[in-house]
Amino acid sequence: MKTVTIAHLYPNEMNLYGDAGNIRCLCYRLLKREYKVNVSEIGIGDRLGEFDILFIGGGQDREMKIISSDLKRKSDALCYAVQSGRTVLAICGGYQLLGGYYVSQDSVEITLSGALPFYTVASGERMIGNIVFETRFGKVVGFENHSGKTYLDPSLSPLGKVLSGFGNNGSDRGEGVLFNNTFGTYAHGCVLPKNPELADEIIRRATGDELVPLDDSDENACRHILISRFG
């Protein structure tokens, strides 16, 4: 029986709006397929060790500043994980951590991991509400709540195209980022239970296995209602 290790980076600081529910969703879907699952919490001062899936949840400016010094020490390992094709899911503030820097509301530039070539600037506009975006894995639904506007380098591709909502910056209709096996998104909600196909795509990439189908009728019924209402 294969064991899948999920590393939760900064679980105490970066965990807004029930984002840790994404880990519960991944665990549920793995256990249903008879994988063993090990969840490892990686906090400030801890080493970013071996993992199959790395998860980073959302946080605000205050949390960004709290972890910024520790993030510098982890940046090389995080960059290697992203660039070498390890499977990563990063939500909102966790997504922003993968970029080069973040400019806060008080115009302070916070250096981030630099794992991917993008940056985020805080704005006076609060981008909040339900979001629907089109991806290669189908339509994805979620809930966004951020003031940061993220701008991708032209070398990067967004995770999807916004059909309803704001996405990365409210202007270019891009939402999130998909690079190798790294998924970044502003979708809270939490996003994976609402979008089982996206959850399974992450599991496929982490395990390299074809997956036994699960009964997702309830999840997809909820998803289709949200798409019809907001998409």
Side-chain angles (χ1 to χ4, degrees):
M1 185 181 292
K2 185 183 290 187
T3 298
V4 175
T5 297
I6 302 173
H8 188 178
L9 183 60
Y10 301 127
N12 296 320
E13 295 79 16
M14 306 294 288
N15 185 21
L16 287 179
Y17 310 121
D19 285 341
N22 291 300
I23 293 179
R24 295 183 67 180
C25 176
L26 290 169
C27 289
Y28 171 82
R29 301 184 72 82
L30 284 162
L31 291 169
K32 279 287 187 179
R33 293 169 169 122
E34 299 187 347
Y35 290 91
K36 291 184 178 178
V37 184
N38 174 46
V39 178
S40 174
E41 294 189 346
I42 311 297
I44 292 174
D46 295 334
R47 177 177 170 270
L48 186 64
E50 292 297 315
F51 60 84
D52 299 294
I53 301 171
L54 175 65
F55 175 75
I56 319 171
Q60 299 178 337
D61 287 11
R62 175 179 175 275
E63 287 75 27
M64 288 275 202
K65 292 173 183 176
I66 289 172
I67 67 170
S68 59
S69 294
D70 186 76
L71 182 64
K72 291 177 184 177
R73 292 188 286 271
K74 289 183 172 67
S75 288
D76 286 348
L78 189 55
C79 290
Y80 177 78
V82 170
Q83 295 294 326
S84 64
R86 306 296 293 277
T87 304
V88 179
L89 173 62
I91 309 292
C92 198
Y95 164 32
Q96 294 171 2
L97 289 186
L98 300 179
Y101 62 89
Y102 173 81
V103 180
S104 67
Q105 292 278 6
D106 51 1
S107 300
V108 174
E109 183 175 307
I110 302 171
T111 300
L112 300 175
S113 71
L116 289 173
F118 67 80
Y119 64 92
T120 303
V121 179
S123 72
E125 175 188 10
R126 196 77 195 170
M127 290 167 280
I128 182 170
N130 290 282
I131 182 171
V132 181
F133 54 101
E134 186 73 66
T135 76
R136 69 175 76 170
F137 320 111
K139 292 181 180 178
V140 173
V141 299
F143 185 85
E144 59 183 331
N145 185 358
H146 57 105
S147 62
K149 294 189 174 184
T150 293
Y151 298 92
L152 302 181
D153 185 87
S155 64
L156 292 176
S157 298
L159 175 59
K161 179 181 179 181
V162 174
L163 302 177
S164 176
F166 297 95
N168 282 337
N169 50 55
S171 56
D172 65 16
R173 311 309 294 171
E175 159 53 22
V177 69
L178 178 59
F179 175 83
N180 287 343
N181 295 320
T182 291
F183 298 74
T185 179
Y186 275 111
H188 295 285
C190 41
V191 68
L192 294 187
K194 294 179 179 178
N195 301 279
E197 191 55 46
L198 178 61
D200 279 354
E201 182 63 25
I202 290 169
I203 292 172
R204 283 188 202 99
R205 293 184 182 220
T207 63
D209 297 335
E210 288 299 317
L211 302 178
V212 176
L214 300 180
D215 179 4
D216 294 321
S217 53
D218 289 341
E219 291 88 342
N220 283 321
C222 175
R223 177 172 158 271
H224 290 316
I225 289 171
L226 292 170
I227 289 171
S228 65
R229 184 176 298 177
F230 301 110

